[in-house]
Amino acid sequence: MTTITRFDARLQRVALTRAWAADVTSVGIVATHVVRSDGAEGWGFSWTPQIGATAVHALLSDDIAHAAIGRSAEPGEAWQGLWEHLHEAGGGGITTIALAGLDLALWDAAARARELPVSSLIGRRRERVRAYGSGVNLHYTQDELLAQVQRWMDAGFTAVKIKVGKPDIAEDVDRVSAVRDLLGPDRALMIDANQRWDLARATSSVEALSPFDLAWIEEPLRADDLAGHTELARRIDVPIAVGENLHNAHRFDDFLRCGAAQIVQPNIVRVGGITPFLTIAALAAEHGAALHPHLLPELSGQLALTLPGDVAEPWAEDVEDAGFGGLGALADPSPVAIADGHLAETPHVGLGIRFCPVLTGKA
């Protein structure tokens, strides 16, 4: 059996070109490195915007590194046991974000040992996926928002997502109406409330915004509110998308079984890596839900290429000025390229994601 013989992690911080909020000006990267008993090496990472990176790094360095040594290095085989080992600290959140750092490195090592990209190791089903323009833009003026949407259109995107959740719903209506007018009828428009509403406000807001032909409403309620999402799905016709703040396969199964979401958007790092992500993808297919991975296009785009398209073709999210390559964080060329509204892989082995040893910002 090939085992894990060495594992280490380093914490770095990458400054965002465009702040996501006054208090979100950087993202924390915990770059990881694993060595297997056969000498193969792999690189992975954990990630979190602004909050929690030091806690993730401590969990990786103090607990996961010690518990991982001697376990199977085959992708997926160590995950459940390590999750159970960490469960005293929580079944999801910091624990699963940290677990992703090891899981991604193990998948990377396995693919590098075979001189393949990870998508080929899993089984690539398509050569490219549709990408959509996305941005953290609720604080933008309407003119700034429209300028951003125009940039996406000029870049060839045929689908875009904008933030909603202004204190006055009339302002949301004005902004969404203006964006729809700019997009025209043939481009897809999604909206994201980032958990800002309660059930009553979500109901009235979606009713006011639904005339603008919305592909989905994302995180209308607090991500933990299963009962609220279930009731909201009964009240509205716009598909509900959730997942960036659900942290393990069990929670995705809960939402899918209750009919609380028609679209799931797992963040591959937040759920614990590729191993649980593939479980969530199988659950989505079983329940007839679409799956569009959340953020991190250099990683999620590669995984999207491996997903079945029985329910809906997966899309990749490209947040403006937030990709690792664009932020200057990668030591190698980006493993994906986004052009004309689509994402495709570029030549690489493994995940093709290794971080520069010195990054901008402070850890």
Side-chain angles (χ1 to χ4, degrees):
M1 179 179 73
T2 305
T3 60
I4 301 165
T5 59
R6 197 176 80 203
F7 178 75
D8 55 80
R10 71 173 190 269
L11 172 61
Q12 298 171 274
R13 193 165 292 280
V14 183
L16 291 167
T17 305
R18 297 173 189 267
W20 290 355
D23 58 347
V24 184
T25 59
S26 67
V27 295
I29 301 292
V30 184
T32 58
H33 173 234
V34 70
V35 180
R36 308 191 318 184
S37 57
D38 62 357
E41 296 180 78
W43 289 264
F45 67 98
S46 295
W47 162 95
T48 181
Q50 202 75 25
I51 300 297
T54 53
V56 170
H57 181 241
L59 200 61
L60 278 161
S61 299
D62 298 342
D63 297 297
I64 293 176
H66 175 74
I69 302 303
R71 293 182 188 253
S72 172
E74 290 302 314
E77 291 189 1
W79 197 93
Q80 182 69 22
L82 285 168
W83 182 70
E84 293 170 2
H85 175 73
L86 295 173
H87 205 274
E88 291 280 355
I94 294 294
T95 52
T96 49
I97 292 169
L99 272 173
L102 175 61
D103 187 74
L104 292 176
L106 290 172
W107 279 94
D108 184 65
R112 287 178 182 274
R114 295 166 176 81
E115 297 186 347
L116 295 171
V118 164
S119 63
S120 294
L121 183 65
I122 295 169
R124 191 187 304 117
R125 296 171 186 257
R126 56 187 60 81
E127 294 304 313
R128 66 177 194 166
V129 292
R130 188 178 183 184
Y132 65 92
S134 181
V136 184
N137 47 33
L138 188 64
H139 59 298
Y140 285 16
T141 67
Q142 184 165 309
D143 285 345
E144 290 171 333
L145 174 62
L146 292 175
Q148 184 179 52
V149 173
Q150 186 63 59
R151 289 195 294 274
W152 290 329
M153 292 168 61
D154 293 343
F157 289 105
T158 58
V160 307
K161 184 173 76 182
I162 66 169
K163 304 296 186 184
V164 294
K166 290 289 189 179
D168 185 350
I169 183 59
E171 188 173 359
D172 276 336
V173 170
D174 286 345
R175 289 162 67 90
V176 173
S177 175
V179 170
R180 171 50 74 195
D181 286 345
L182 179 60
L183 289 172
D186 299 327
R187 294 181 177 88
L189 172 60
M190 296 80 77
I191 58 173
D192 181 358
N194 276 133
Q195 310 180 75
R196 286 184 175 85
W197 296 329
D198 61 19
L199 180 59
R201 180 63 184 270
T203 303
S204 60
S205 295
V206 174
E207 287 176 352
L209 296 168
S210 61
F212 301 108
D213 189 21
L214 305 175
W216 71 65
I217 168 63
E218 186 169 329
E219 287 198 322
L221 309 173
R222 292 303 305 179
D224 310 279
D225 188 357
L226 174 59
H229 281 92
T230 303
E231 173 59 20
L232 183 63
R234 189 187 66 80
R235 295 182 182 186
I236 66 175
D237 294 327
V238 176
I240 295 174
V242 301
E244 69 175 273
N245 287 296
L246 301 181
H247 292 99
N248 62 51
H250 301 289
R251 289 300 285 159
F252 280 89
D253 194 36
D254 291 340
F255 272 72
L256 290 165
R257 286 183 182 278
C258 291
Q262 294 73 53
I263 298 162
V264 291
Q265 302 166 301
N267 181 294
I268 296 161
V269 170
R270 285 176 174 166
V271 300
I274 292 171
T275 299
F277 174 82
L278 295 176
T279 299
I280 293 163
L283 288 170
E286 176 186 339
H287 289 283
L291 188 151
H292 304 306
H294 172 254
L295 205 57
L296 306 176
E298 287 97 345
L299 173 62
S300 62
Q302 296 185 58
L303 272 291
L305 296 171
T306 73
L307 295 173
D310 299 344
V311 177
E313 291 289 317
W315 294 0
E317 181 180 18
D318 184 27
V319 174
E320 186 175 48
D321 293 335
F324 293 140
L327 293 173
L330 297 181
D332 306 308
S334 175
V336 304
I338 300 173
D340 298 324
H342 288 83
L343 177 146
E345 286 187 318
T346 59
H348 67 279
V349 294
L351 288 170
I353 300 174
R354 295 191 300 172
F355 291 91
C356 298
V358 178
L359 302 179
T360 55
K362 295 181 179 180

